[in-house]
Amino acid sequence: MVRSYMRHGPTQAFGVICSPTANSSYDGKLAYVAGWEDILVWDVKRGEMVSMWHSAGLTSPVTHLTPAPLPSSSTSTTPHTFAVSYTDGSIRLWSFDPSSPEVEAAEIVAFNGHKKSVTQMVWDRDGSRLASGGTEGEIVVWDRVGEVGLFRLKGHRGPITGLAFIPHPNGGNHPGWLVSSSKDTYLKLWDLGTQHCVQTIVVGRGEVTGLTIREEEDEVNADEQDGEKGDVKGRWVIVTGSGDGEGKVWSMERNGLAKGMAENENGELPTLIQPLCTLPLPSSSQPISQLAFHPTLPLLLLQTSDRTTSIIRLRSEEEVNAKRARRKKREREKGKKKSKGKGDEEELDGDVAEDAGIVVWEERATTWCTVRANAKVKSFSFADGEIASAKGGVSLLLALANNSIESYTIPSPSASSRKASKLPDGQSPDPVKTHSIELPGHRQDIRAIAISSDDQTIVSAANGTLKIWNARTTACIRTMECGYAICSTFLPGDRHVVVGTKSGELILYDIAASTLLSTYKAHNGPVWAVHVKPDGRGLVSGSADKDVKFWEFEMREEGEGEKVVDRLGVEREFKTKQLALVHVRTLKMTDDVLAVKYSPDGRFLAVSLLDSTVKIFFQDTLKFFLSLYGHKLPVLSLDISSDSKLIVTCSADKNVKIWGMTFGDCHKSIFAHDDSVMSVAFEKEAGSHYFWTVGKDRMVKYWDGDKFELIQKLEGHHGEIWALATSNHGQFVVTGSHDKSIRIWEKTDEPLFLEEEREKEIEAMYDSNLADSMNRDPTAEGQEGGDEAEAVQKQTAETLMAGEKIMEALELADADREAVRNWEEEKEKTGLDVPRPARNAELIARGDMEADEFVLNTIQKIPTASMEDALLVLPFRQVVSLLGYLDEWATKGQNTVLVSRLLFFLLRTHSSQIVSNKIMRTPLLTLRNHLREALKKQRDAMGYNLAALKFIKGRWEGERVAGLYEEEGMDEEGVRRRLEEGRGKRKRVEVRA
């Protein structure tokens, strides 16, 4: 009989406040940050998580997130759209309503176009297009409304670090420009109309780490003042940051953009991006990791890779001129008696420049203030508007590398202030720390995890903090300070926790009272393991000082007692008793002790040593019983089954060995992980020989200790897994990792069969290999050539499955029609009443559906974003068949928009085969006529609806205005007269096609 197991699945992931993989977003109240594969939404003021966006089955970490600009007609209840990218190259659009965060965010669409991780994303001004850049150096422009990729731009040779849309100054139908920066030291300008790079600039020797852009409306340079009539004034200022800490400023004149790439008299193409200056920054060799202009205030924020965020203020022209005047006045007061000759020339040149009124950009930049955080800053984000308070200011959010979030208020520069470094009241602009989110997570790696006997409480320990969690709600109940914790365990009764530290101490906590009871200097080296005796009367600790120490529990009277006088006048003293550890004996070993464990029946004590052996002693007499040899590197963890028959050991040599406790024979050695196996634990069900292992390869694995087979492999952690604990009732397992997350893997009711699991793994491997081979670039890497712009296509397992569904539907429909056609021919030929052939069972199950309707339903269920990739899988014979169905749908007027899209893509993809095939001419002509008729009907309906909406809008506006006039006390005649006057004043615009 085939043995079945119960499947485990991830149910909870907690302890993460923010992960260092992506940027952050902030709206003044809610902070949107990456929590590895999820997006976490925090209420910064209350310090609570209000929402978590999780896509089922996705384990890739988030790499970038950016909110789409809200439409001008939006209200407070309008859902916000966020673009979120992942390391697998996918982009998902999420819809979230901040006014009702209890409603879960909805995933709108998933885009797949990048072959590698996405690094940057940016929306255009109206939020209809999204540009994304990846680590492969390619930029993809997506259509948000049509849910398709428009085109792919190839030109950079390094990861994209910055993107910005620039609209055409004259508007019109021109799609605008795109500025991109990359780690290949290049800054590129792309014309989105021609889909080509029109300018490439070498920024410097270091990598370009980011860019930000700002439109300056009233900037008019000296050479622009004598320009032609009708010139577009203003410019775009681009600031780039580099890996060597240097910031550079570039300008793009709107006048030059309006003229486009027209040649001048000499036949030269214009240079649209011009170097302006080097950003005046404090000398620092740290790379500028992020930079951004504030959308409304004259502030530029720069983030270096250390703990400081610099805020630069841009002075106005009047301010710069006032400063120049003050400087000239001071120089005049000092007098320049000694300076003759050259000095006079310099002064003359300066006077000429100042008289010309030219304001150099670097003169406008001045340091406003600096924010210093408690840890390394990974990203910053600011709210678009100012804080509505007495002092006002800019609300700034910092996502830190140590799993915490901080928010600051930065004073807003006043336009009336002439002193750039001071506030209007004369004070220095100092940022104020307003909120901090730290408690729901650890600052350091989670090194130890323990579960209470009733499976209700989880304790996790890291360097500096010990946290108690509710296992059901995953809420943090207690946070206590501790040293560098390495191991921990609950004591019987679940009221106390013992933690072993790197400094050799055993720390005893009362978690109910949230107090530290006592600290014992137990060892002279790190305490690597503690374990409670099966009878619950004591515990054992093992350390790097080569000692195994045994401790017993004792209730001691502590402190001064409370004096009470009874009725007879006798004074008595009552002292409170509290738990204490008493050292009873020590077992000296020959090497560092790495793990200790009692057998559940209480007979044996297993001790792992640094010499890669495991020694087993009798628990009562401490006499030597067995020695387990076989591992090539030290055994990092061990466990004994609940029936005390098996002992399992895991080692840094990546192997797990299963031994018999009776004779110490090795039953099996398994190559378990791709890196060191950090912990192993048996399930605590009676007689169970199933066990769990975790390793530095980020995997959690479930094994059968009798059959020596891998049952299940669980992925989810994004760092080395240090700690593992199994529940006492066998329902779940908890792991803690370097990524500072704690994850619960719970047993489900779904059965699992090993053969099916292996088949699924092979199928997944085949699908991924097939998709990789189809996505391989035909132009070999490192070679020049290939188009600069190409279509956005990427095959994934989902698109391959969608293509197979279309193929199956076409085959089924064609077979059904062929059977009906043969029946009709035979009936006509013989003249007999031949019985109709049985229809396909699937068509009958769907309500005796027609073949063309079945194909249409199948295609309509495929997401729009993956439709084109799914159609690429079809062979040409089925493309011809699909064109026939398109003609039928166009004749019936069914889903005309989808029919048009499908036809356009099929003709574009298979144009050469269709042109060379003469038989295709007739059906294509009929399809064209039918589709034109359907589109004409669609256009007429839309025109009618649009006219009706305009009529309703006019009626509504008239009634609203009439109501306002009536409030003014006008009578009916006066209201009618005023409305007629208003209609007469309206401009009439004649639109000619």
Side-chain angles (χ1 to χ4, degrees), residues 177 189 198-199 251-253 256-258 260-261 270-274:
W177 286 269
L189 178 66
V198 294
Q199 189 177 351
S251 73
M252 285 180 67
E253 304 297 336
L257 284 177
M261 297 302 292
T271 305
L272 297 177
I273 300 180
Q274 299 282 356

Side-chain angles (χ1 to χ4, degrees), residues 455-468:
D455 289 347
Q456 296 297 312
T457 314
I458 299 170
V459 63
S460 63
N463 182 6
T465 52
L466 175 80
K467 288 184 180 287
I468 313 295

Side-chain angles (χ1 to χ4, degrees), residues 670-720:
I670 305 170
F671 183 79
H673 289 261
D674 295 332
D675 209 330
S676 301
V677 190
M678 298 307 298
S679 187
V680 63
F682 272 105
E683 270 192 349
K684 292 180 181 171
E685 290 184 354
S688 172
H689 287 175
Y690 304 153
F691 63 91
W692 293 85
T693 59
V694 295
K696 281 188 177 181
D697 61 353
R698 311 176 182 183
M699 301 297 292
V700 182
K701 294 189 178 182
Y702 187 33
W703 304 85
D704 186 338
D706 293 325
K707 288 184 144 188
F708 318 123
E709 284 188 301
L710 173 65
I711 300 172
Q712 200 176 354
K713 186 164 60 173
L714 298 167
E715 298 180 46
H717 279 291
H718 303 280
E720 298 91 340

Side-chain angles (χ1 to χ4, degrees), residues 102-142:
E102 65 277 357
V103 180
E104 289 189 11
E107 186 181 328
I108 305 170
V109 65
F111 293 132
N112 271 297
H114 288 277
K115 299 177 180 68
K116 294 182 182 177
S117 172
V118 180
T119 55
Q120 278 290 324
M121 290 189 297
V122 67
W123 293 94
D124 67 353
R125 189 170 281 180
D126 60 356
S128 61
R129 290 176 299 170
L130 174 72
S132 60
T135 52
E136 74 274 18
E138 296 177 355
I139 301 165
V140 178
V141 181
W142 306 91

Side-chain angles (χ1 to χ4, degrees), residues 825-875:
E825 287 178 2
E826 189 178 350
K827 190 177 176 183
E828 194 174 320
K829 199 180 289 181
T830 59
L832 300 173
D833 191 9
V834 182
R836 187 187 178 99
R839 300 199 69 196
N840 189 285
E842 190 168 351
L843 293 175
I844 296 171
R846 293 178 184 271
D848 206 13
M849 188 181 285
E850 290 298 321
D852 63 321
E853 194 178 343
F854 174 68
V855 177
L856 181 61
N857 285 352
T858 304
I859 292 179
Q860 282 177 336
K861 288 176 184 176
I862 296 168
T864 312
S866 56
M867 179 72 76
E868 293 185 355
D869 292 320
L871 292 172
L872 285 173
V873 182
L874 299 183

Side-chain angles (χ1 to χ4, degrees), residues 77-118:
T77 58
T78 303
H80 293 197
T81 301
F82 283 79
V84 182
S85 63
Y86 301 85
T87 50
D88 62 357
S90 65
I91 299 170
R92 285 169 168 77
L93 300 188
W94 294 85
S95 176
F96 177 69
D97 187 1
S99 61
S100 55
E102 65 277 357
V103 180
E104 289 189 11
E107 186 181 328
I108 305 170
V109 65
F111 293 132
N112 271 297
H114 288 277
K115 299 177 180 68
K116 294 182 182 177
S117 172
V118 180

Side-chain angles (χ1 to χ4, degrees), residues 587-658:
L587 177 64
K588 295 279 185 182
M589 304 302 295
T590 56
D591 222 321
D592 294 14
V593 178
L594 299 180
V596 289
K597 190 77 70 172
Y598 282 108
S599 62
D601 60 5
R603 290 184 61 205
F604 301 109
L605 172 71
V607 180
S608 161
L609 301 178
L610 193 64
D611 62 2
S612 308
T613 64
V614 176
K615 303 274 196 291
I616 301 176
F617 300 88
F618 288 100
Q619 182 269 133
D620 47 1
T621 61
L622 295 186
K623 286 185 178 179
F624 176 76
F625 174 58
L626 286 173
S627 183
L628 308 179
Y629 295 91
H631 283 290
K632 296 175 183 175
L633 289 172
V635 173
L636 302 177
S637 177
L638 56 89
D639 199 13
I640 301 171
S641 62
S642 56
D643 56 7
S644 301
K645 291 181 179 178
L646 293 181
I647 178 170
V648 61
T649 58
C650 66
S651 165
D653 62 8
K654 311 174 188 176
N655 286 300
V656 168
K657 291 182 185 289
I658 302 162

Side-chain angles (χ1 to χ4, degrees), residues 880-908:
V880 176
S881 175
L882 182 57
L883 287 173
Y885 289 108
L886 292 179
D887 188 20
E888 291 185 35
W889 301 333
T891 308
K892 296 178 182 177
Q894 292 178 313
N895 206 333
T896 311
V897 177
L898 178 64
V899 171
S900 306
R901 267 196 66 196
L902 293 175
L903 179 62
F904 176 71
F905 179 76
L906 292 174
L907 291 177
R908 190 181 65 193

